[in-house]
Amino acid sequence: MSGPVTSADTPVEPPRSTPAVGTTDIAADIAGAPPLSPRLYNDDLAPTEVHGRRWGSYNIFTLWANDVHSLGNYTFATGLFALGLGAWQVLLALAIGAALLFGILNLSGYMGQKTGIPFPVMSRISFGVRGAQIPALIRGAVAIAWFGIQTYLASHVLNVLLITLHHPLAGLSENSFLGLSTLGWISFGFLWCVQIGILMYGIEMVRKYEAFAGPVILFTLSALAVWMFWKAGGSIALSNNHPLSGGKMWREIFAGASLWVAIYGTFALNFCDFTRSCTHKKSITIGNFCGIPVNIMLFGTITVVLAGAQFRINGKVINSPADVVQAIPNTWFVVLACLALIILTVAVNLMANFVAPAYALANLFPKHLDFRRAGIVSGVIGIVILPWNLYNNPTVVNYFLGGLGAFLGPLFGVIIADYWLIRKGRVNVPELYTMEPSAAYHYTRGVNLRAIAAFVPAAVAAVVCALVPLFSAVAPFAWFIGAGIAAAVYVAVSERNVSHQDVPGAAIAVPSVH
C-alpha cells in the first residue's frame, strides 16, 4: 500500500483511515487533522500499520543475539578481566548492566510499538517538528562513523579468510592507498556492497538477516568457548595475576556495568526503529528478556571461558574471539569461524549503524530521500570519511566519537521524561507530520525550547565527565549523569499539563508501505 503522491509544495491531505489495533488506547480518526507536510512525511517515516507488522519476540531476541556478541563487546568484557576483575565479578558487572538495560530498552521499545513511528519522528514529540533534527543527526553521525569502522574491522577478518584460502593474496596487503591496502580495499568494498544490498530490500530484509545470523553466532561462539576450554586442559584461570579487591573492585564492577549501558546508549534512543514493526508489546518484553539478561549472561560466560582459558594457556588475555580464530589449527575451521564473524559484524552493523542514519537522512530530506536512498547516502559517507584512519587515531575516536556519544544520555533523558513523565504516553501522531503553527508539536517555530534548555547543560556535563581528565573518576558514569540531569531539568521546566491536542490515541494509522 503506497502513501499519498504529492508535489514538493503540496500538503498531504490526511485521508480517513481505520484506527490501528493492538494498543491499549483507542485510536482517534484523523480525518479532521491538519494537512501532512511533505517536509515531514514520506512513506518510510509514516507510522507502521498493524496488519503489516511482522516482528515477534524471536526477531527482537536475534537482534540482541547478534549485537551483544559483537567483537567490540568481547574486547570490552575481556578488558574487565585484564583490569583485574575475576570471573564472578565480570559476570556481576554484566548482570547489573543487563538489568538496567532491560528496563531502559523496554521503555524505549514500548514507545515504538505503540506509536509505530521511527526515532526521528519520535524525537518530534519532545524537540519539535524542526528541533527533532538535533537528536536524529547526532544519532546518525555516530552511527555512520561506526558503520565505516565496523566494516573496516570486518574486512580484517575477511582478509584472514582470503589469505587462508589462497596464500599468494598476502602480497596484496603489503601496499597502501589512502591508508588501506589493495586487499583491504577489495574486502572493504565487498562487505560494503553486501550491506547496501541487504538494505535495498528494506527493514524486512534486515529482520530476515538478523533472524538467520543469530543462531549462527550463538553456535559459533559457544563452540569456540568449548574448544578453548578443552585446549586449556578442562580448567580456566578465574582471574589474572593482579586481582582487584575491596573498594577498587566494587568501583570497577559498577563502572563496568555503567559502561555496558553506555555502549547501548545508541539503541536506547532508536530501538523504536525496530519495535515499530512489533505485533505486540509482549513480544518486546519476551524478546528483550531472552536477548538481554539471559543472552548477556551467556555472553559473559563465553567471555570468562575464552579469557580464562587463554590466560591459563600462556598468561595472556585475548582481545576478542578473532584472536582465538587465528589460532585454530584446522584450515576449514578457520574458514567457517571467519565466515561466522563476518556474518556477525554485518548483522551488528545493519541494526546498530545503518538503520539509524538511513532514517535520520530520510527525515532531513523526506521529499528526496526514502529509506533506501538515504541508506546509500549514509554508506557513501561511511567510505568518504576513511573510517580506518579514524579508528587508528585514538584522539579522534576518544574526542570526536566519545564527545558525540556523551550527547546520547541527555537526549534519552529528555525524550523519555517527555513521553513517560510529562505526557504519560499520550501522543497525537498525525500532528507529528504537520507544520501548522497551531499543532501540538510546533512549539516555537518548530523547536521546543524547554527540550533545548534541558539538553544543553546536561550535554555539557556529560562531555566534561567523559573527556576531561580531572573527572576521570566519574567518566564511566557519564551516560547516567547526562540522562539524569536532562530528565530532571526537563521535568522542572516543562508545564505539568499536557496540551489538549495530545490525545490518548497514540497509534493512528497513516498510509505507509511498511
Side-chain angles (χ1 to χ4, degrees):
M1 176 167 152
S2 59
V5 179
T6 67
S7 68
D9 299 315
T10 304
V12 180
E13 291 294 340
R16 182 176 298 275
S17 59
T18 56
V21 296
T23 65
T24 55
D25 295 329
I26 299 174
D29 194 333
I30 65 170
L36 306 181
S37 171
R39 296 181 181 180
L40 300 173
Y41 176 91
N42 65 27
D43 287 346
D44 291 309
L45 296 176
T48 54
E49 295 182 349
V50 171
H51 65 75
R53 298 185 183 188
R54 298 181 180 178
W55 288 60
S57 55
Y58 175 75
N59 300 114
I60 298 298
F61 164 71
T62 54
L63 283 182
W64 303 124
N66 292 311
D67 195 69
V68 166
H69 292 271
S70 71
L71 299 183
N73 283 352
Y74 276 103
T75 299
F76 167 79
T78 54
L80 297 179
F81 189 88
L83 284 173
L85 293 184
W88 72 266
Q89 296 149 359
V90 171
L91 292 175
L92 179 59
L94 294 175
I96 295 171
L100 293 170
L101 276 175
F102 180 66
I104 288 170
L105 288 163
N106 277 343
L107 288 177
S108 180
Y110 295 159
M111 292 162 61
Q113 192 277 332
K114 187 176 185 181
T115 61
I117 55 180
F119 172 65
V121 179
M122 187 74 71
S123 301
R124 297 173 190 173
I125 301 171
S126 52
F127 280 86
V129 290
R130 285 197 176 103
Q133 300 293 358
I134 296 172
L137 290 177
I138 290 174
R139 173 65 183 98
V142 173
I144 287 175
W146 281 112
F147 161 74
I149 290 172
Q150 290 278 10
T151 303
Y152 164 64
L153 295 177
S155 71
H156 268 300
V157 180
L158 183 54
N159 287 346
V160 172
L161 172 60
L162 293 175
I163 292 173
T164 299
L165 291 174
H166 190 60
H167 294 294
L169 288 175
L172 296 178
S173 63
E174 297 173 358
N175 62 335
S176 178
F177 174 70
L178 295 178
L180 210 58
S181 68
T182 299
L183 185 61
W185 275 107
I186 293 172
S187 297
F188 184 92
F190 173 77
L191 293 173
W192 186 91
C193 291
V194 167
Q195 292 170 97
I196 291 290
I198 293 172
L199 200 72
M200 289 304 94
Y201 288 92
I203 197 71
E204 177 62 13
M205 182 57 72
V206 174
R207 178 186 72 86
K208 292 178 179 179
Y209 183 85
E210 300 293 332
F212 153 74
V216 173
I217 300 314
L218 292 176
F219 173 80
T220 301
L221 291 170
S222 298
L224 278 178
V226 170
W227 179 71
M228 282 295 291
F229 184 74
W230 171 80
K231 187 179 178 183
S235 65
I236 62 172
L238 297 180
S239 65
N240 65 22
N241 292 331
H242 304 285
L244 296 178
S245 61
K248 288 185 177 180
M249 177 193 74
W250 287 107
R251 193 263 179 192
E252 292 300 333
I253 288 175
F254 286 108
S258 181
L259 287 171
W260 186 247
V261 173
I263 288 173
Y264 289 93
T266 51
F267 260 120
L269 287 174
N270 77 300
F271 191 31
C272 57
D273 287 341
F274 304 95
T275 59
R276 67 192 291 243
S277 298
C278 283
T279 52
H280 302 286
K281 181 179 177 181
K282 185 178 179 181
S283 63
I284 299 172
T285 306
I286 295 174
N288 276 349
F289 180 77
C290 296
I292 299 174
V294 175
N295 184 44
I296 286 177
M297 287 299 93
L298 173 62
F299 162 83
T301 301
I302 292 173
T303 298
V304 166
V305 171
L306 291 178
Q310 187 66 54
F311 197 81
R312 174 74 71 189
I313 293 169
N314 60 9
K316 297 181 180 179
V317 179
I318 64 168
N319 289 321
S320 79
D323 296 340
V324 175
V325 169
Q326 294 181 14
I328 296 176
N330 185 288
T331 298
W332 289 108
F333 285 164
V334 172
V335 170
L336 293 175
C338 284
L339 285 173
L341 294 182
I342 291 169
I343 290 171
L344 165 64
T345 306
V346 169
V348 171
N349 236 5
L350 287 172
M351 61 182 289
N353 302 319
F354 219 152
V355 171
Y359 278 127
L361 290 173
N363 184 64
L364 189 62
F365 305 107
K367 292 186 290 186
H368 306 290
L369 295 178
D370 59 10
F371 181 80
R372 293 169 177 81
R373 291 174 184 169
I376 293 174
V377 172
S378 64
V380 170
I381 296 173
I383 296 177
V384 171
I385 62 174
L386 303 180
W388 43 89
N389 291 333
L390 291 179
Y391 182 76
N392 293 326
N393 189 329
T395 301
V396 172
V397 172
N398 290 337
Y399 287 95
F400 174 67
L401 292 178
L404 281 177
F407 291 160
L408 301 180
L411 291 174
F412 178 81
V414 169
I415 292 170
I416 290 295
D418 180 82
Y419 185 90
W420 290 108
L421 300 180
I422 302 299
R423 303 182 190 279
K424 301 188 185 306
R426 298 185 303 169
V427 180
N428 188 322
V429 173
E431 296 203 5
L432 292 169
Y433 298 91
T434 180
M435 295 293 294
E436 291 291 315
S438 60
Y441 312 106
H442 191 269
Y443 298 110
T444 303
R445 297 178 181 175
V447 179
N448 184 4
L449 298 180
R450 291 185 178 91
I452 302 300
F455 168 70
V456 171
V460 170
V463 170
V464 169
C465 290
L467 301 182
V468 177
L470 182 64
F471 297 94
S472 59
V474 296
F477 309 97
W479 190 91
F480 283 100
I481 292 171
I485 293 175
V489 173
Y490 187 77
V491 171
V493 302
S494 296
E495 294 178 356
R496 295 290 177 162
N497 295 323
V498 181
S499 167
H500 69 280
Q501 299 177 69
D502 294 312
V503 297
I508 301 174
V510 176
S512 70
V513 294
H514 299 289

